[in-house]
Amino acid sequence: MKKNTNYKKGFVFKSYKAPFQTPFEVLFDIFKELITHTSGDFDEAIDWLKQLDVEYKLTTPEYTIDDFIEDLKKKGYIREEIKPDGSKGTGITAKTERAIRQSALEQIFGNIKRSGSGNHKSKGLGIGDEHTGDFRNYQFGDGLEKVSITESLRNAQINNGIGNFSLTEDDLVVEETTHKSQMSTVLMIDISHSMILYGEDRITPAKKVAMALAELITTRYPKDTLDILVFGNDAWTIKIKDLPYLNVGPYHTNTVAGLSLAMDLLRRKRNTNKQIFMITDGKPSCLRLPDGQYYKDSNGLNPYITNKCYGVAQQARKLHIPITTFMIAQDPYLMQFVEEFTKANQGKAFYTGLKGLGEMIFEDYETNRKKRIKG
């Protein structure tokens, strides 16, 4: 007699087990975080790691901090170098810089809900390789690789019959593809002294966002461009490899200098789609005058300085360059300035703390990449 077995579908819940990591991998994950906070200072990062080891027992007699440092050397993550004062020291390598960027990308972008194929697409149809499922009649100039063979043969059978089969130009159809736009982005990072004031480290999250965005663009969207600049009393560009070492300085906030440099960089780009992301926590408090002197005012909002900011925002608008401001501080009078600034540019503004900053920047980047900004 055949035994009747009923199988029921359902869920089986088990206790979570973290994926296995070697002692080196465990320490390396912590080390990447520490080296970011210490702006690339290896000795300080190791001191912090030793303190964490005392408190949380990260190592064992079989694998110590010294063993970890030796493995870092063997794997090419650190190297001996000569410090500016002439003494010997240890520094991180390009391999570590890349690992830090990848880690930042996983931390920030990994938390965002993904949809579709994970590649930027615009709403318009055009040249691309993402098929939409929509067909149109063949037009002179369409590439043969775009002709849908199956649909064209079907049309030929319908139009001419099987017995007298022939394929004509009228039977040919091509499948539409989605246009994949290119984007040129400038990321501005405020490095004025207020980015580490009030007991809050604001520069480290900004660095992480920049590293993650740089890693995303260079690996997933290589046709896009990303320029990174910092602004204090003045503004200057930095390279992606310099991001882990970025620090704040005893600077005021020259927003006009940063925006002017950003627009100069974007003027040289051939892409139609251009945008500026600005991360700042303070009010504009500095201008450089034509004679080279600095005009500074840290007391409230100075109309002379803010009007210059509004003027640059309007210039960017005329160049079809939207500015998205990520304002870390949420003081009412600063929010009013950002509102006026955004109105002058017709851009966007986000009033945010440090939590969620990366997710918002990435989501906005994705959103902007899906549309074509008319230039």
Side-chain angles (χ1 to χ4, degrees):
M1 183 176 178
K2 188 176 181 180
K3 188 176 180 180
N4 186 16
T5 305
N6 293 324
Y7 296 97
K8 296 182 178 180
K9 293 182 179 180
F11 297 95
V12 177
F13 295 91
K14 297 181 180 180
S15 299
Y16 172 76
K17 291 184 179 180
F20 173 76
Q21 286 185 302
T22 65
F24 173 82
E25 291 171 336
V26 172
L27 293 177
F28 190 53
D29 283 345
I30 302 171
F31 173 76
K32 286 184 290 186
E33 192 73 19
L34 294 176
I35 204 71
T36 303
H37 281 273
T38 62
S39 297
D41 190 321
F42 174 79
D43 293 331
E44 186 180 358
I46 290 298
D47 286 341
W48 284 15
L49 186 60
K50 288 178 179 178
Q51 293 178 33
L52 291 173
D53 185 29
V54 171
E55 185 172 354
Y56 296 103
K57 304 295 186 295
L58 301 175
T59 64
T60 64
E62 291 76 25
Y63 194 84
T64 64
I65 296 293
D66 289 336
D67 294 325
F68 173 66
I69 295 174
E70 190 61 31
D71 278 348
L72 287 175
K73 292 178 181 177
K74 290 179 180 177
K75 296 176 183 292
Y77 288 110
I78 58 175
R79 64 172 182 269
E80 299 297 327
E81 62 182 16
I82 304 298
K83 295 183 177 180
D85 60 3
S87 62
K88 291 184 178 180
T90 304
I92 63 175
T93 64
K95 185 177 181 180
T96 306
E97 294 164 1
R98 176 69 187 275
I100 295 171
R101 295 198 301 270
Q102 289 175 333
S103 179
L105 179 62
E106 291 169 3
Q107 286 181 21
I108 296 174
F109 197 66
N111 293 330
I112 298 174
K113 184 178 180 181
R114 294 185 176 89
S115 63
S117 63
N119 207 340
H120 296 314
K121 297 184 287 291
S122 67
K123 293 180 180 178
L125 301 178
I127 300 173
D129 55 14
E130 185 88 12
H131 296 286
T132 66
D134 296 326
F135 297 95
R136 61 171 173 80
N137 292 332
Y138 174 85
Q139 297 174 356
F140 179 78
D142 287 332
L144 292 178
E145 70 278 0
K146 294 185 177 298
V147 174
S148 173
I149 301 300
T150 302
E151 290 297 319
S152 299
L153 291 175
R154 178 174 174 273
N155 287 342
Q157 290 178 349
I158 294 173
N159 296 334
N160 305 309
I162 298 177
N164 190 27
F165 179 80
S166 64
L167 181 66
T168 68
E169 183 178 338
D170 293 334
D171 301 321
L172 299 179
V173 293
V174 298
E175 187 174 0
E176 294 281 20
T177 54
T178 304
H179 177 85
K180 292 184 180 177
S181 57
Q182 296 178 354
M183 175 68 77
S184 289
T185 303
V186 173
L187 177 63
M188 298 173 48
I189 303 175
D190 184 350
I191 58 168
S192 61
H193 189 58
S194 60
M195 290 289 278
I196 56 170
L197 285 180
Y198 317 115
E200 188 172 45
D201 176 12
R202 297 169 173 175
I203 191 64
T204 299
K207 284 194 298 186
K208 282 188 176 181
V209 168
M211 288 190 290
L213 193 58
E215 189 66 12
L216 174 80
I217 290 175
T218 54
T219 56
R220 292 184 56 187
Y221 311 119
K223 292 184 179 180
D224 287 8
T225 67
L226 174 67
D227 290 281
I228 302 170
L229 66 85
V230 295
F231 62 106
N233 291 350
D234 293 293
W236 60 94
T237 58
I238 62 173
K239 297 183 182 299
I240 292 174
K241 66 180 183 64
D242 298 328
L243 281 169
Y245 314 100
L246 185 61
N247 253 320
V248 301
Y251 306 125
H252 285 69
T253 307
N254 192 342
T255 307
V256 169
L259 291 169
S260 298
L261 178 56
M263 287 193 293
D264 286 342
L265 292 169
L266 291 175
R267 282 191 187 99
R268 305 170 193 169
K269 308 296 182 183
R270 295 182 178 179
N271 292 344
T272 302
N273 293 338
K274 302 174 182 179
Q275 63 181 351
I276 296 173
F277 286 164
M278 178 168 65
I279 304 174
T280 182
D281 75 326
K283 58 183 175 295
S285 58
C286 176
L287 286 174
R288 189 168 187 177
L289 302 175
D291 62 0
Q293 298 294 316
Y294 292 99
Y295 179 85
K296 301 176 182 178
D297 185 356
S298 299
N299 300 316
L301 288 172
N302 185 306
Y304 178 67
I305 297 176
T306 55
N307 286 337
K308 292 288 186 182
C309 292
Y310 301 148
V312 177
Q314 290 172 343
Q315 290 177 28
R317 179 184 176 185
K318 292 178 181 177
L319 293 172
H320 304 284
I321 300 175
I323 302 170
T324 304
T325 305
F326 296 89
M327 193 69 174
I328 298 174
Q330 298 188 20
D331 305 73
Y333 77 104
L334 292 179
M335 293 174 68
Q336 183 179 356
F337 159 71
V338 173
E339 183 178 342
E340 292 297 322
F341 176 85
T342 303
K343 185 185 297 183
N345 175 254
Q346 293 295 298
K348 287 181 288 185
F350 295 92
Y351 306 96
T352 174
L354 297 175
K355 186 177 180 181
L357 173 65
E359 284 86 348
M360 283 195 295
I361 288 181
F362 274 70
E363 287 174 349
D364 200 59
Y365 181 78
E366 292 279 354
T367 300
N368 291 347
R369 286 289 280 103
K370 292 175 184 174
K371 63 185 178 183
R372 292 187 63 78
I373 301 168
K374 296 180 180 179

